[in-house]
Amino acid sequence: MDARTEHTRRRWNRMASYREHGERFQSPAMRRTREILCAGARGRTLEVAVGTGRNLSYYPPQVRLTAIDLSPEMLARARRRADELGMAARFLEGDAQSLDFPDQSFDTVLCTLAMGAVPDQHRALSELYRVLVPGGRLLMVDHVEYAGFPGRLLEQRREHPRRLPREVAAEVGFEVGHHDRLFLGLVERVVAHRP
């Protein structure tokens, strides 16, 4: 794990309690977005950056879920939530930039509000592509406030500038079937698949 990824891990470990308690302030539009994306999951599903498990109650019952997070604190909270829901799922510590799964392991990959925090989006989306079967779906929503002015100027100074996740997804080979913006254009929702 590189230094930037380790820094991200420490930050999310510290934020685990805050993130869990902040859920009651989630907007109806974001709750609906989670419902829509999770409803699109099929078969063997990987949730990247599961956090405290906000999405768990929205998955269809037939989904076989594997959930990863960089933060052990977040994973512990997600496991508790799955137990409360009576949901069978596998929870593993993992880095989206270097997934410990064989090629073509999943039918669906879901990532909500996490790609902007990943140090190297291109590397992470390449890994998501690798672990999906041909025809597999990528379901994603993320903050994109950095893509407009003046955020774009600040991003250009970073070692790995953040870009619109859908653009990076297309670069690594995904075919984007749908994308739209929410919250005055600050959040983007993407549905794509691996050809």
Side-chain angles (χ1 to χ4, degrees):
M1 188 178 301
D2 64 26
R4 290 179 64 219
T5 305
E6 182 59 39
H7 172 76
T8 301
R9 176 192 219 177
R10 285 192 307 271
R11 187 179 75 206
W12 286 107
N13 271 335
R14 287 190 307 269
M15 292 179 63
S17 176
Y18 160 78
R19 299 294 289 184
E20 189 172 47
H21 295 301
E23 289 177 22
R24 64 179 160 262
F25 302 111
Q26 178 176 235
S27 74
M30 188 52 69
R31 188 175 302 112
R32 182 68 183 135
T33 291
R34 290 176 189 279
E35 290 172 358
I36 290 168
L37 291 179
C38 290
R42 299 288 181 268
R44 297 165 299 163
T45 297
L46 173 65
E47 183 171 343
V48 174
V50 67
T52 61
R54 283 188 186 184
N55 295 328
L56 296 179
S57 63
Y58 303 124
Y59 282 107
Q62 71 275 13
V63 164
R64 293 185 312 274
L65 182 67
T66 298
I68 67 164
D69 203 283
L70 194 58
S71 163
E73 288 296 322
M74 294 283 194
L75 279 173
R77 292 168 191 277
R79 277 189 194 100
R80 279 195 301 271
R81 180 168 291 184
D83 289 345
E84 290 168 5
L85 293 169
M87 180 181 198
R90 192 167 59 142
F91 294 92
L92 304 168
E93 195 173 319
D95 179 359
Q97 302 166 113
S98 181
L99 295 172
D100 195 19
F101 302 108
D103 295 354
Q104 302 180 15
S105 296
F106 297 97
D107 304 298
T108 307
V109 173
L110 183 126
C111 184
T112 58
L113 304 176
M115 198 53 62
V118 173
D120 188 338
Q121 288 174 315
H122 192 275
R123 202 166 116 204
L125 282 159
S126 294
E127 280 291 278
L128 302 187
Y129 184 90
R130 180 185 67 77
V131 300
L132 270 173
V133 298
R137 301 173 105 187
L138 171 66
L139 307 169
M140 184 169 49
V141 63
D142 219 314
H143 301 284
V144 293
E145 75 284 351
Y146 53 80
F149 184 82
R152 190 173 52 241
L153 298 176
L154 297 172
E155 282 300 312
Q156 292 170 352
R157 296 179 180 175
R158 293 172 58 137
E159 180 182 354
H160 297 285
R162 293 177 295 176
R163 297 179 34 232
L164 289 175
R166 77 176 143 85
E167 290 177 355
V168 181
E171 280 178 17
V172 303
F174 284 104
E175 289 185 8
V176 177
H178 172 82
H179 68 89
D180 61 356
R181 293 278 185 93
L182 309 165
F183 305 106
L184 304 173
L186 299 176
V187 173
E188 185 171 68
R189 186 169 39 192
V190 176
V191 176
H193 74 277
R194 176 179 171 167

